[in-house]
Amino acid sequence: FGSRPRCFAEGPPSVSLISHGKPVLRGGCPRSSQGKNSQAAETVNAGGMVESGAKEDKEPKLVITIVGVRGIRKSDEVPDPGHDKRDCYCEVKGGSQKLWTTSTINTCCEPVWAEEYPVTEFDDSSPLEFAVYSKDRNKVYLFKDDSHFLGVAFLHMKDFEQGFNGELRLADCMIPEARIRLNVKVAGKDLPKGPDPEFAVTLERENKEKSWGGKFNLHDEVTLQLLEIEEGHFTEYNKGAPADQQIGVNDFIMKVNNTTGSSKDMLEELKKSLKVDLMIAPVMYSTILYDRGEADSPLGLEFASEQKDSEVLVVKTVDPAKHNEKAGAHGRIRNGDRIVSVSGAKGKEGDLLKKLKESTVEVELIVMRPRTSENESEACLLRRRHSAP
């Protein structure tokens, strides 16, 4: 997640879940094991004949899903795939027992694993431990582990007796806002509903001359993106708000009172109102391998008009017959996406566009977008199921 990762509001179309490389299950998201599984077993009798039977697996006590991590970068820090080649993974323990380790994700922006694992036995006197690490894939060490510890979260039994669906703070992390998003389903119980990605904020001022304390970008014509937060009502609100509901640089305002869908209209509503009800969508970064094609072929993207000093390319329209036709849901370009890096290069709008046009075949893009229920649900398409040892 991305990020303040939260629950996936709706499940995507059916997808195959993978266990050791083989499709084992189909279903929407969220997905968890229910009931007992059975697998065919063959035995050879005394006469040499093959007999088929059923071997019943032990029902898991828990099904743990590691969704992803957010906030391991500062909110105003743009990831740079050209210079930060680190693979992130999460190690899960129950007491002194290591339960499993996720796959590695080849970017530290906001890794999304969406991997689930059934736990048949665990030490319920000790908390579940979720430790996040990264490895430098530009370096190879033959005689030592080059893993770099990023942070750890603990979940005590009393906090998941009915299940858990939410975020935990990553302790011992350099960035205090860092969170890990996870689900724990308890056998015989439904998974609790998680919080929504967006959150509501109400602000009030004494008069119209008093600034709300923010500078906005209206480039996509649909949202208000916070470019700067100055001393004012936003900073006052943040002082008393929980970490996962603070307003940050690059976050998106999706609604002002009853006005939504128009950047200009929302800005006017902000200007004329003494009291505002805002819907905030935190910023999320996504790494996308964009199928550029040949250098002389059309990009398949139309961008918003260039703005002075802007360092993002705002996607206005996307040709569905180009990259998106073959891309998985998590790798698609969307209307309103802000491209902030092209193959590791950052710069002004014109420089980014030039770099993109000159590129061929697959191009690594970093995009900013609002964290919404729709964006989060697509992470489910990456979900993989692991078998208990």
Side-chain angles (χ1 to χ4, degrees), residues 161-179:
E161 288 179 334
Q162 302 300 316
F164 181 85
N165 188 351
E167 291 185 332
L168 296 173
R169 178 179 175 272
L170 281 178
D172 301 325
C173 186
M174 294 180 63
I175 301 175
E177 294 81 10
R179 299 288 188 275

Side-chain angles (χ1 to χ4, degrees), residues 61-305:
K61 292 183 178 179
L62 307 173
V63 176
I64 301 174
T65 302
I66 306 295
V67 181
V69 172
R70 71 167 179 88
I72 53 177
R73 291 180 179 273
K74 296 177 182 177
S75 61
D76 57 352
E77 180 183 0
V78 175
D80 186 348
H83 299 89
D84 192 1
K85 300 292 187 182
R86 302 193 72 85
D87 294 340
C88 290
Y89 64 93
C90 180
E91 184 179 275
V92 184
K93 289 184 178 180
S96 60
Q97 178 188 7
K98 185 164 85 169
L99 300 176
W100 105 95
T101 301
T102 67
S103 60
T104 56
I105 302 293
N106 63 357
T107 174
C108 275
C109 308
E110 291 199 342
V112 174
W113 292 283
E115 295 182 9
E116 71 174 30
Y117 184 86
V119 178
T120 55
E121 297 292 340
F122 72 102
D123 179 7
D124 59 10
S125 65
S126 300
L128 294 172
E129 177 183 324
F130 306 90
V132 181
Y133 298 88
S134 67
K135 299 184 75 170
D136 191 337
R137 56 188 168 104
N138 281 333
K139 299 178 182 178
V140 177
Y141 296 94
L142 298 179
F143 303 107
K144 68 174 184 178
D145 185 2
D146 67 325
S147 296
H148 174 65
F149 175 75
L150 295 179
V152 63
F154 298 94
L155 186 62
H156 294 267
M157 181 67 187
K158 63 181 177 63
D159 297 320
F160 66 88
E161 288 179 334
Q162 302 300 316
F164 181 85
N165 188 351
E167 291 185 332
L168 296 173
R169 178 179 175 272
L170 281 178
D172 301 325
C173 186
M174 294 180 63
I175 301 175
E177 294 81 10
R179 299 288 188 275
I180 183 169
R181 173 77 168 86
L182 54 94
N183 302 335
V184 178
K185 184 187 180 300
V186 178
K189 300 181 185 297
D190 292 332
L191 183 70
K193 183 182 183 299
D196 293 324
E198 300 114 313
F199 59 94
V201 172
T202 299
L203 302 176
E204 196 167 355
R205 59 181 176 177
E206 296 81 13
N207 55 69
K208 295 180 182 179
E209 285 66 41
K210 191 170 179 63
S211 171
W212 292 112
K215 291 185 178 179
F216 307 98
N217 182 291
L218 291 67
H219 216 169
D220 65 1
E221 301 179 359
V222 176
T223 67
L224 292 176
Q225 187 181 26
L226 272 161
L227 296 182
E228 296 179 26
I229 296 181
E230 305 164 334
E231 196 66 32
H233 288 81
F234 289 131
T235 55
E236 285 300 313
Y237 161 80
N238 282 345
K239 290 176 183 178
D244 63 340
Q245 293 193 6
Q246 292 181 4
I247 304 171
V249 172
N250 290 329
D251 283 355
F252 295 82
I253 297 178
M254 311 298 290
K255 187 176 181 181
V256 181
N257 294 331
N258 292 319
T259 303
T260 187
S262 169
S263 305
K264 291 182 178 179
D265 291 347
M266 286 193 290
L267 185 59
E268 285 303 312
E269 185 68 21
L270 268 177
K271 289 179 178 179
K272 73 180 185 182
S273 301
L274 295 178
K275 182 179 179 180
V276 289
D277 294 320
L278 309 177
M279 184 59 68
I280 307 293
V283 64
M284 64 183 288
Y285 290 100
S286 290
T287 303
I288 293 175
L289 287 178
Y290 183 69
D291 188 358
R292 164 70 181 93
E294 298 301 323
D296 57 349
S297 64
L299 284 175
L301 302 172
E302 183 183 343
F303 299 100
S305 57

